[in-house]
Amino acid sequence: TENITIGSYLLTRLEQLGVTSMFGLPGDFNLAFLDLVEDHPKIDWVGNCSSNELNAAYAADGYARVKETSLGVITTTFGVGELSAINGIAGSFSEMVPVLHIVGAPSTGQQKNRPLLHHTLGDGRYDAYSKAAQQFVVHESHIVNKANAAADIDTALVECITKARPVYLTLPTDMVYEEISSERLKIPLSSTRAPNDPEKEDFVSNLIHERVKEAGGDVVILVDACVIRHHVRKETLEFLHKTGFPVFATPMGKSAVPEDYNRYGGTYIGNLSHNEVKESVENAKLIISLGLLSSDFNTGNFSYHIPTNRHIELHSDHCKVQFARFEGIAFKYLLPKLADKLQEFQKTALGIKVPSVHYPIPSEGSSTTITHAWFWPRLSTFFQPKDVVVTETGTSNFGIADSTLPEGVILLNQILWGSIGWSVGSALGAALAARDVGLNRTILFVGDGSLQLTVQELSTMIRKGVTPIIFVLNNKGYTIEKFIHGKHRAYNDIADWDLKALLNTFNAKQTHKTASYTVHTKSELDELLGKADFAKADKIQLVEVMMEALDAPPAMLRQWDSKK
Amino acid sequence: TENITIGSYLLTRLEQLGVTSMFGLPGDFNLAFLDLVEDHPKIDWVGNCSSNELNAAYAADGYARVKETSLGVITTTFGVGELSAINGIAGSFSEMVPVLHIVGAPSTGQQKNRPLLHHTLGDGRYDAYSKAAQQFVVHESHIVNKANAAADIDTALVECITKARPVYLTLPTDMVYEEISSERLKIPLSSTRAPNDPEKEDFVSNLIHERVKEAGGDVVILVDACVIRHHVRKETLEFLHKTGFPVFATPMGKSAVPEDYNRYGGTYIGNLSHNEVKESVENAKLIISLGLLSSDFNTGNFSYHIPTNRHIELHSDHCKVQFARFEGIAFKYLLPKLADKLQEFQKTALGIKVPSVHYPIPSEGSSTTITHAWFWPRLSTFFQPKDVVVTETGTSNFGIADSTLPEGVILLNQILWGSIGWSVGSALGAALAARDVGLNRTILFVGDGSLQLTVQELSTMIRKGVTPIIFVLNNKGYTIEKFIHGKHRAYNDIADWDLKALLNTFNAKQTHKTASYTVHTKSELDELLGKADFAKADKIQLVEVMMEALDAPPAMLRQWDSKK
Ligand SMILES: Cc1ncc(C[n+]2csc(CCOP(=O)(O)OP(=O)(O)O)c2C)c(N)n1
Ligand SMILES: Cc1ncc(C[n+]2csc(CCOP(=O)(O)OP(=O)(O)O)c2C)c(N)n1
Ligand SMILES: [Mg+2]
Ligand SMILES: [Mg+2]
């Protein structure tokens, strides 16, 4: 068999896994590896134009979320580069997104002798960065010799994909061009987990069948983040079709099930839910949740009213039936079995009424102001099938609950980690992945405050020729923070930017077509949304949406009212 | 005695230490503390306008560097905020800059019960961030009860200042308004280290006297980073005056000694030095270095020719005479003694010829192109006493070696850590500190590539009304990287920005005066530098300096030539 350099081995594996974009920044410890990346026919180097490493990590995260079953990859340089990215990596850990972080490191000789190199801490510690990284990854591989390189790379990749979480891989400068056998490359990496133990699986599905029977088929399904992260959308939908149970989504589970599915009843957020939704979910005799992630913002501040004895939880690697926990039972394999088993309840299930998710656009009299109450339902008809929608922490994450998303729309948010600025980098990665897999437009909703943290990523979007529609909600500051604390505090204000000038500023030579708009009124926005030229999204477009500083989506108003 | 809240106790201590600006971003875990900051009469909250946490960390670093004997302070929020800042904090560690990182953390109750809050990793680990932070600080304090709060705060501050390195302090939401005794506040914190052991100090100074005598007074002094970081400038200058020894600076030691001092001979960078400098240093019978930091870029890639038996090293907490090491002998106290003891050699010393540091501006025939060889010497006469000059990693850090800095100029660079984008945040902090202590203009030299990482910090500058002059070297990419590897690689190119549009874009309402210029030729730059209106720097000004992509300062050309 032929030999291959370690660097190329890694790239071949990434190519096999469907990676087409790599994010990051160059630095002296990764430049030689970047030669291989730049010369690679299938993998495009994204970054080093204007992004910084944090933005690159966000982009890798967004890419991985859209490109299901593949992964996001970021390459940085020792110390300065990798540490800049660490918040992004921690976010991918928290939100369960498979991101490989490749760090160009000093040569193995330097790591032994530890000279006082730039990018070091000045005290000879060469392991400080990986010790920090360990906190935020499920696995780390250090390529330190030829003998183990291939196996170490393979393990890193399998861990990343099967656990859907970040992995840290250091590649010392002297390892990149070392040659190893390419033999292993003939066997593709397996990215699926082992099947469930059949006996245990039977036991569990019988048990669940019993509970459903006891409940007389009065069951609702609640879908959450892990259905998306662990790629169980298909199994979920088949299960729903066969059983006919009504289904609801949490904020992080929104878009796991097509929202035009006729048994879909909307978003359940505990006390922050629409009344009808709250009643449908909480009055059901049995709630089967899929991939539940019970974080504060995902549960309406822990306001679920679902007693354990009426609750069955199915997860990626275990499940719970009332008080009993069953390790190692993955819902990916359990759901099809269960679908068959519970099919007998379909008729009863179809009799259960499901709330409508078509929230009417409120008529607010003659007021022309764009309110959140109006904005999000209004957007529903603007979305198209297979759009990728990205919402930022802040009012947008709450608002989108009141938009209805057509079939095949992928919604990205970071409700658990909540690092502002994430959505801008993420939208870059998402748009590249969307282009790659033939999805529709990428549509970003970002607050004026959040945008300021990562604004330079717009430049990378322009340079890479992706054409997202970017709605910037200009409400003069950190509105969500104002609701939490400090309504009239200066620390919640922001600098006034000329948002309409941004795209031009980042596009000096006008090499790419861009368009920027400011909308002050409902009719201005209506008009814009109605323009075919705008809606077709063939260039990058930024829409500044003027809003009141203290306006917020209904669910947000309910959350902070409920605290009083 | 009166009671005071823990939050106010901390702020009072900071005020006592001369802190007038605090950097950072709000987040739900620090908002209550920010009320106290915003209401504090002496401490100004900087940030939350457009900066992100990494930029805030850079700003705190720049502030601390200029505001000697005080410290820089950054406040962030749990997880997302603190991790965004970690690369900046690591840089302050590496470069020995006292920065206090205050992290607004969940309440002590939450830290015990560990609910699934936003900004957590989703697995109940609440200590992951502080474990990561530990790698990059000399001390961490967690405020967890009233009894120890004051002592813990005091220890954190003393460690930060005396060790000139970052400290990590978590402030849980429920601790901020707890009341404690204000008694301790009456005694100011001591920020000086204990004096040297007199017997040992005598021994060492006698030993050094002997060595100098043996060398017949043929001694040169080499000043480096730690003279600046440990505030030994004054002692150094007195020592130099009394002894008359010629003095040279490393790149990181540049500006430790006024460059118009008549015994100052320029920058020593091993093989990259000007010939005359190299000879003067390396031919001396004895070299006494002060605060040496022998990192690759600070030593011309480890190309010093100073044998140990001709070398005496004085440091902040130890010294070395030839092969002998003496722990606990601080140069701050040793230098005055030594000055007296070595005064007898003054006459001989004054006989040693010192190279001129007034590098002529090369005449490059009729070429109008702005070259590095021309640019940096040209700038020498533009600088004014007490300017604060900030240079970025890249060509600027090398170029400034050929500028001569007038008396009292403070030069900031990050030659050891080398995180690009640092200079922009740092210049913000530096400018605020400079305004505070009555220094002159802040002048920033930043590459077009580096600027892109942290560009939004320009917005904070505008908002805070500081008026730096910002020279952006537009050489179409990562020139320094091109010299290292990949001269014609796309990964070393960057997006083309309309640099002249930046200040306006960040200043939508034109609330502040700004000016932007592009200079293509030497005469255009000459003309601009000659304008009194420009030089007086009463508004923020950005100068785009057009340069060739593959031009570099002489020292850089020597470095990469020498590698061939
Ligand atoms: C990196 C990071 N820093 C700080 C915060 C705290 N934070 C959460 S939301 C928010 C304000 C967001 O403002 P904006 O994007 O304008 O949203 P909106 O006004 O629509 O609520 C801040 C500062 C955070 N979540 N992440
Ligand atoms: C945070 C970080 N990322 C990457 C690098 C690697 N790096 C060092 S210098 C440099 C290029 C700087 O380019 P520019 O600012 O344009 O400087 P110049 O062209 O003047 O050399 C890069 C990418 C780094 N030092 N720090
Ligand atoms: Mg806002
Ligand atoms: Mg450049």
Side-chain angles (χ1 to χ4, degrees), chain A residues 26-27 53 80 119, chain B residues 394-395 418-420 447-450 475 477-481:
Chain A
E53 285 89 353
V80 293
H119 302 343
Chain B
T395 56
S419 183
I420 62 170
D448 52 353
S450 301
N475 52 14
Y478 299 156
T479 294
I480 189 172
E481 296 282 346

Side-chain angles (χ1 to χ4, degrees), chain A residues 35 39 48-49 52 84 87 94 118-120 296 416-417 452-453 456 485 489 491 496 498 505 509, chain B residues 35 39 48-49 52 84 87 94 118-120 296 416-417 452-453 456 485 489 491 496 498 505 509:
Chain A
D35 285 352
D39 292 340
N48 72 279
C49 6
N52 54 41
S84 296
N87 173 40
S94 167
H118 64 290
H119 302 343
T120 69
D296 51 358
L416 175 54
W417 189 241
Q452 296 197 346
L453 277 78
Q456 51 273 83
H485 188 97
R489 283 290 186 173
Y491 59 66
D496 225 323
D498 184 355
T505 302
K509 294 275 156 61
Chain B
D35 285 351
D39 292 340
N48 72 279
C49 5
N52 54 42
S84 296
N87 172 40
S94 167
H118 63 291
H119 302 342
T120 69
D296 50 359
L416 175 54
W417 189 243
Q452 296 197 343
L453 278 79
Q456 52 273 82
H485 188 97
R489 283 290 186 172
Y491 59 66
D496 225 324
D498 185 356
T505 302
K509 294 274 157 62

Side-chain angles (χ1 to χ4, degrees), chain A residues 234-248:
Chain A
K234 210 175 101 270
E235 292 81 357
T236 299
L237 204 56
E238 276 165 23
F239 172 81
L240 292 170
H241 280 303
K242 283 199 180 157
T243 60
F245 295 134
V247 58
F248 297 84

Side-chain angles (χ1 to χ4, degrees), chain A residues 392-465:
Chain A
E392 179 63 271
T393 297
T395 55
S396 307
N397 264 1
F398 284 86
I400 195 73
D402 289 336
S403 298
T404 312
L405 306 175
E407 195 267 309
V409 164
I410 293 182
L411 173 67
L412 312 189
N413 60 45
Q414 212 194 33
I415 287 175
L416 175 54
W417 189 241
S419 183
I420 62 170
W422 163 85
S423 72
V424 187
S426 187
L428 165 68
L432 286 164
R435 185 162 76 181
D436 200 27
V437 299
L439 287 165
N440 201 343
R441 310 167 301 177
T442 297
I443 302 176
L444 165 62
F445 296 92
V446 57
D448 51 353
S450 301
L451 175 66
Q452 296 197 346
L453 277 78
T454 49
V455 64
Q456 51 273 83
E457 223 44 44
L458 298 180
S459 160
T460 317
M461 291 175 182
I462 296 170
R463 201 176 191 226
K464 286 289 158 188

Side-chain angles (χ1 to χ4, degrees), chain A residues 318-429:
Chain A
H318 72 281
C319 58
K320 284 191 203 165
V321 181
Q322 295 162 308
F323 293 95
R325 186 182 168 104
F326 302 89
E327 283 308 330
I329 297 296
F331 62 172
K332 189 165 187 82
Y333 307 121
L334 179 66
L335 274 172
K337 295 246 165 100
L338 222 46
D340 293 337
K341 236 188 178 97
L342 301 182
Q343 203 159 7
E344 61 180 89
F345 299 101
Q346 203 202 48
K347 215 169 148 211
T348 331
L350 290 177
I352 307 172
K353 209 175 147 272
V354 175
S356 159
V357 294
H358 294 283
Y359 303 115
I361 304 172
S363 106
E364 297 173 327
S366 59
S367 164
T368 59
T369 312
I370 301 172
T371 62
H372 280 281
W374 179 89
F375 181 76
W376 298 101
R378 172 62 188 87
L379 260 293
S380 296
T381 54
F382 178 71
F383 294 126
Q384 297 171 3
K386 293 195 166 190
D387 279 346
V388 176
V389 177
V390 187
T391 60
E392 179 63 271
T393 297
T395 55
S396 307
N397 264 1
F398 284 86
I400 195 73
D402 289 336
S403 298
T404 312
L405 306 175
E407 195 267 309
V409 164
I410 293 182
L411 173 67
L412 312 189
N413 60 45
Q414 212 194 33
I415 287 175
L416 175 54
W417 189 241
S419 183
I420 62 170
W422 163 85
S423 72
V424 187
S426 187
L428 165 68

